[in-house]
């Protein structure tokens, strides 16, 4: 039992260490440090090669303080923000003079972050053509901006691109500050590692996020969320709140426990002495054991038990110490000295081979009994 517990402890420690090591590359959905399929490390590395520095922040205050004319602010989940956080981001949009990219904002956040714009349901196709004069869109060409939200607006100066069913999935809106603009992107597809190389996704992502030398990547934390809501205003389940590294650790622990159970299941533990509820007569116990030996054909075991018991009783009768009762050199001479009849092979009788059949076993029992009687009466 202790060995099993030790093995499980070692396996558990290994699983936790492995999960901790892996957690460095598993930062989550749309995280620029994550190499997972749904992470965004690939686009961050491409931006770095083009001289754009990326800074990850998790609060609206940090995001607002970091904005400026040379900054692009990416808000990965606008609908998660609470009212105070939306107000801070809106102030940054109006005053920074830089670019703000809102990723798939819904009506929950559009009323504060981009008044005058509303959603028009989901786009019917994933890959769409630009059909606009925006240089970033015409250069990138067909891209994966569909499959999620579409928008509509009557604001002057708005540039509508990648339409689906007559409504754009990408909107560029000028802000009050000269040189600033706000980009509404209806789908996150162009930022994901797994789809960055498809169509013109990489080109569009680099141009939208790399127009300024500094990129602030704002991933709202739970502290910035509306109370009791997750993305899209829905409650998060317990499993969704567990980090990816711990999910792998739990899986490895489960597999380790299963393997340990299979490994130990075929082994029998030591015999446990149990107090019998009733007293059993010695003759009945002897008869029961004899029947078990006979059923199993265990003549060797039966002969060993008979000889060992006889040797222990004879040693007491002839004055041999109990610790030497099973030594031929100590027991045989002492027993032979007490015999008065014709010579017998005491060594073969007390330490001989296994009887060949049941008759020989019965004869051995008779000879041992006669030997003991003779020594006792001598």
């Amino acid at each position: 039992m202790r060995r099993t517990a030790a093995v499980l402890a070692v396996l558990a420690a290994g699983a936790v260490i492995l999960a901790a090591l892996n957690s460095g590359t598993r930062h989550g959905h749309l995280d620029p440090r994550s190499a997972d399929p749904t992470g965004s490390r690939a686009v961050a590395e491409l931006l770095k090669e083009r001289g754009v520095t990326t800074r990850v922040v998790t609060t609206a205050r940090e995001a607002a303080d970091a904005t400026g004319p040379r900054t692009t602010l990416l808000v990965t989940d606008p609908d998660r923000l609470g009212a105070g956080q939306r107000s801070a981001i809106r102030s940054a949009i109006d005053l920074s003079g830089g670019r703000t990219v809102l990723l798939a904002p819904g009506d929950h956040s559009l009323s504060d972050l981009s008044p005058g714009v509303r959603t028009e349901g989901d786009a019917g196709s994933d890959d769409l053509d630009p059909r606009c004069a925006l240089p970033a869109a015409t250069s990138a060409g067909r891209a994966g901006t569909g499959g999620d939200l579409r928008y509509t607006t009557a604001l002057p100066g708005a540039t509508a691109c990648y339409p689906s069913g007559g409504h754009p999935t990408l909107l560029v809106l000028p802000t009050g500050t000269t040189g600033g603009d706000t980009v509404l992107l209806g789908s996150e597809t162009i930022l994901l590692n797994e789809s960055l190389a498809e169509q013109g996704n990489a080109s569009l992502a680099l141009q939208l996020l790399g127009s300024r030398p500094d990129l602030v990547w704002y991933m709202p934390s739970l502290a910035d969320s509306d109370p009791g809501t997750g993305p899209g205003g829905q409650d998060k389940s317990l499993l969704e709140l567990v980090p990816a590294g711990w999910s792998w650790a739990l899986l490895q622990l489960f597999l380790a426990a299963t393997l340990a159970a299979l490994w130990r299941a075929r082994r029998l533990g030591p015999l446990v002495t149990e107090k019998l509820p009733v007293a059993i007569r010695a003759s009945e116990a002897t008869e029961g054991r004899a029947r078990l030996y006979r059923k199993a054909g265990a003549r060797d075991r039966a002969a060993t038990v008979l000889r060992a018991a006889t040797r222990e009783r004879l040693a007491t009768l002839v004055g041999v110490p109990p610790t030497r009762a099973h030594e031929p050199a100590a027991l045989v001479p002492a027993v032979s000295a007490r015999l008065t009849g014709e010579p017998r092979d005491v060594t073969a009788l007390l330490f001989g081979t296994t009887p060949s059949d049941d008759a020989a076993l019965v004869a051995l029992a008779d000879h041992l009994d006669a030997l003991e009687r003779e020594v006792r009466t001598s």
Side-chain angles (χ1 to χ4, degrees):
M1 188 65 183
R2 291 181 179 177
R3 187 188 306 171
T4 302
V7 171
L8 289 177
V10 171
L11 291 174
V16 172
I17 293 172
L18 183 60
L21 293 175
N22 288 339
S23 64
T25 58
R26 293 181 178 275
H27 294 277
H29 186 65
L30 283 172
D31 194 305
R33 299 161 295 186
S34 174
D36 291 348
T38 57
S40 298
R41 182 175 177 178
V43 69
E45 291 294 330
L46 291 176
L47 288 168
K48 182 179 179 181
E49 293 177 0
R50 287 158 176 76
V52 178
T53 59
T54 301
R55 174 186 173 188
V56 178
V57 298
T58 57
T59 67
R61 180 49 52 199
E62 287 180 300
D65 291 344
T67 57
R70 295 168 52 84
T71 301
T72 298
L73 171 61
L74 170 65
V75 184
T76 60
D77 197 350
D79 287 350
R80 180 191 286 270
L81 301 180
Q85 288 71 32
R86 292 195 298 270
S87 177
I89 297 300
R90 181 62 201 179
S91 297
I93 292 174
D94 292 336
L95 302 175
S96 69
R99 167 170 286 180
T100 302
V101 179
L102 303 177
L103 192 57
D107 291 327
H108 178 71
S109 57
L110 283 175
S111 58
D112 291 329
L113 298 179
S114 189
V117 181
R118 69 177 188 272
T119 61
E120 283 292 340
D122 295 342
S125 176
D126 293 337
D127 298 326
L128 302 170
D129 294 316
R131 298 180 185 176
C132 68
L134 183 69
T138 57
S139 175
R142 189 173 179 84
T145 61
D148 206 334
L149 295 177
R150 301 179 299 167
Y151 301 100
T152 183
T153 184
L155 295 175
T159 302
C161 298
Y162 295 98
S164 173
H167 298 285
T169 57
L170 187 151
L171 272 178
V172 181
L173 306 170
T175 60
T177 305
T178 303
D181 60 15
T182 301
V183 178
L184 276 63
L185 183 59
S187 173
E188 63 189 24
T189 302
I190 67 170
L191 301 183
L192 301 179
N193 294 330
E194 63 184 358
S195 54
L196 185 66
E198 299 174 1
Q199 303 291 338
N201 293 351
S203 175
L204 183 60
L206 293 177
Q207 292 183 81
L208 292 180
L209 301 182
S211 62
R212 273 77 170 172
D214 297 314
L215 171 61
V216 178
W217 199 294
Y218 175 30
M219 302 181 66
S221 63
L222 291 176
D224 273 4
S225 304
D226 278 332
T229 62
Q234 297 179 352
D235 292 340
K236 272 198 168 186
S237 67
L238 177 62
L239 292 179
E240 290 175 325
L241 295 174
V242 177
W246 285 103
S247 299
W248 280 103
L250 291 175
L251 176 61
Q252 292 174 64
L253 283 175
F254 174 76
L255 292 177
T258 303
L259 291 176
L262 293 175
W263 169 52
R264 296 295 295 178
R266 297 180 60 85
R267 296 197 175 194
L268 298 177
L271 295 177
V272 178
T273 302
E274 181 181 3
K275 292 183 178 180
L276 296 177
V278 295
I280 306 245
R281 290 187 297 175
S283 60
E284 293 180 359
T286 302
E287 185 178 358
R289 180 176 294 184
R291 287 175 177 173
L292 289 176
Y293 285 155
R294 181 176 182 182
K295 184 176 181 180
R299 287 186 295 273
D300 54 342
R301 177 64 177 165
T304 300
V305 171
L306 290 172
R307 283 172 167 151
T310 302
R311 290 196 296 265
E312 291 171 359
R313 292 192 295 269
L314 288 175
T316 302
L317 294 174
V318 298
V320 174
T323 56
R324 305 191 64 188
H326 304 291
E327 297 179 10
L331 183 62
V332 170
V335 172
S336 298
R338 301 286 292 271
L339 300 178
T340 58
E342 56 185 41
R344 273 167 286 179
D345 190 355
V346 177
T347 302
L349 187 58
L350 294 177
F351 299 94
T353 58
T354 301
S356 58
D357 52 29
D358 291 345
L361 179 62
V362 172
L364 173 64
D366 292 338
H367 292 320
L368 290 173
D369 186 52
L371 177 64
E372 183 178 348
R373 263 197 322 268
E374 184 174 352
V375 171
R376 191 180 297 275
T377 57
S378 63

